[in-house]
Amino acid sequence: MRHATGDHAPAASGYDAELQRHNQVLRRAARIRPHDHVLDIGCGSGQTTREAARRARAGSALGVDVSEPAVRRARELARAEGLRNVTFEQADAQAHRFQQERFDLVISRFGTMFFDDPVTAFANVGQALRPAGRLVMMVWQSRERNAWDVAIRRSLGAAEEPAAGGTEGPDPFSLGDPPAVREILHASGFADVAFTDVHERVYYGPDVAAALAWVRGFTCTSAILKGMDPAAARRAVEDLRVALAAHLGDDGVWFDSRAWIVTARRAATD
């Protein structure tokens, strides 16, 4: 589910909290070395980029995101932490002119599923990698394997609809099918594509009220609610509240999820 990225930007910290367990998995998979130069695609408020910079203490990290508020917040947090080897740019990775063969590693935590043309996008990112440079990205598996999405859409009366009003709009599950992703990456100039199953829970907040506020900020949720008449929207919100309450435990509201760690290398060129 894509999150709203408007100027009310709470949610940079909320997003990091939601994905706290996934973040640990990505960190282990990335295996960042002290001299690495790292590119972080869809960096949001920059948690993953800042972590990369701390591990690549003799290298560097660049985070890019299309959201100006998110990039602004990322810069503020990096300054507050005194990091000198990290930078952030507002940019679309599909079209941005990266310095060619600059990076040893490209990482992404759920930031690569929304490209208009994924082959073009990954080819552009690949050109920024040094020969045999690595790609390590986390993407959602299919919709039906993610209990959080199933519960939200069922509550909103949209379980059978990919998006409000039709199939248009960002699809957070667009890279969930391994054969299709392998084909995209091969066409983009990557080799040695591999998939590792990630079965971790997502965190929506310490209580139902916080979780409801967070979920209502999702782009898809807000779009569906805006398309309803007021009475239907009130019923949908109440159904959503009930669904969230069913997942409340002693440590907050958690949902099951499934993702992939996708790894690949820039293919050798003749």
Side-chain angles (χ1 to χ4, degrees):
M1 191 75 67
R2 177 171 260 186
H3 299 75
T5 54
D7 289 310
H8 61 286
S13 60
Y15 190 55
D16 292 339
E18 176 186 337
L19 298 175
Q20 56 192 268
R21 295 190 172 191
H22 293 78
N23 203 54
Q24 296 171 16
V25 175
L26 179 63
R27 187 186 308 125
R28 291 193 297 267
R31 304 192 319 273
I32 297 171
R33 301 165 301 185
H35 289 82
D36 277 345
H37 295 282
V38 183
L39 172 61
D40 187 4
I41 302 297
C43 66
S45 63
Q47 181 190 47
T48 46
T49 323
R50 298 193 310 276
E51 289 180 354
R54 284 191 287 270
R55 289 175 176 267
R57 55 187 179 276
S60 67
L62 167 63
V64 298
D65 198 281
V66 295
S67 167
E68 191 277 331
V71 169
R72 185 171 64 240
R73 179 61 175 157
R75 289 169 176 159
E76 292 170 355
L77 291 170
R79 283 195 297 269
E81 294 177 12
L83 292 171
R84 298 178 179 274
N85 64 334
V86 62
T87 54
F88 296 94
E89 294 184 28
Q90 181 187 3
D92 180 353
Q94 178 169 309
H96 185 68
R97 291 188 176 183
F98 295 106
Q99 181 179 343
Q100 293 199 4
E101 299 189 356
R102 162 66 176 163
F103 300 99
D104 303 286
L105 171 65
V106 172
I107 62 172
S108 182
R109 187 186 68 184
F110 301 112
T112 56
M113 299 96 67
F114 308 109
F115 293 132
D116 295 329
D117 183 343
V119 172
T120 297
F122 284 112
N124 188 51
V125 169
Q127 290 178 357
L129 276 171
R130 292 173 178 167
R134 296 183 297 134
L135 169 69
V136 180
M137 64 180 179
M138 184 173 280
V139 301
W140 294 119
Q141 293 188 25
S142 59
R143 181 184 303 280
E144 63 272 12
R145 303 204 76 193
N146 281 280
W148 51 273
D149 185 80
V150 172
I152 291 169
R153 289 182 175 277
R154 183 175 294 133
S155 300
L156 298 175
E160 303 302 321
E161 294 295 333
T167 59
E168 297 300 320
D171 178 8
F173 307 100
S174 66
L175 298 179
D177 178 48
V181 173
R182 187 174 282 108
E183 184 176 339
I184 288 168
L185 291 177
H186 285 164
S188 305
F190 285 91
D192 301 328
V193 182
F195 298 81
T196 302
D197 180 48
V198 179
H199 189 187
E200 294 287 355
R201 295 186 300 163
V202 292
Y203 175 72
Y204 280 176
D207 52 42
V208 173
L212 181 62
W214 177 236
V215 172
R216 290 187 68 172
F218 291 179
T219 300
C220 181
T221 307
S222 59
I224 291 172
L225 289 172
K226 286 177 182 177
M228 295 178 174
D229 66 69
R234 286 192 296 271
R235 289 193 299 271
V237 169
E238 183 55 32
D239 288 345
L240 186 54
R241 189 191 310 275
V242 170
L244 294 169
H247 287 79
L248 175 65
D250 293 340
D251 56 349
V253 178
W254 293 83
F255 277 85
D256 195 36
S257 79
R258 299 300 280 263
W260 296 115
I261 285 282
V262 185
T263 58
R265 290 186 180 275
R266 180 180 173 182
T269 55
D270 295 332

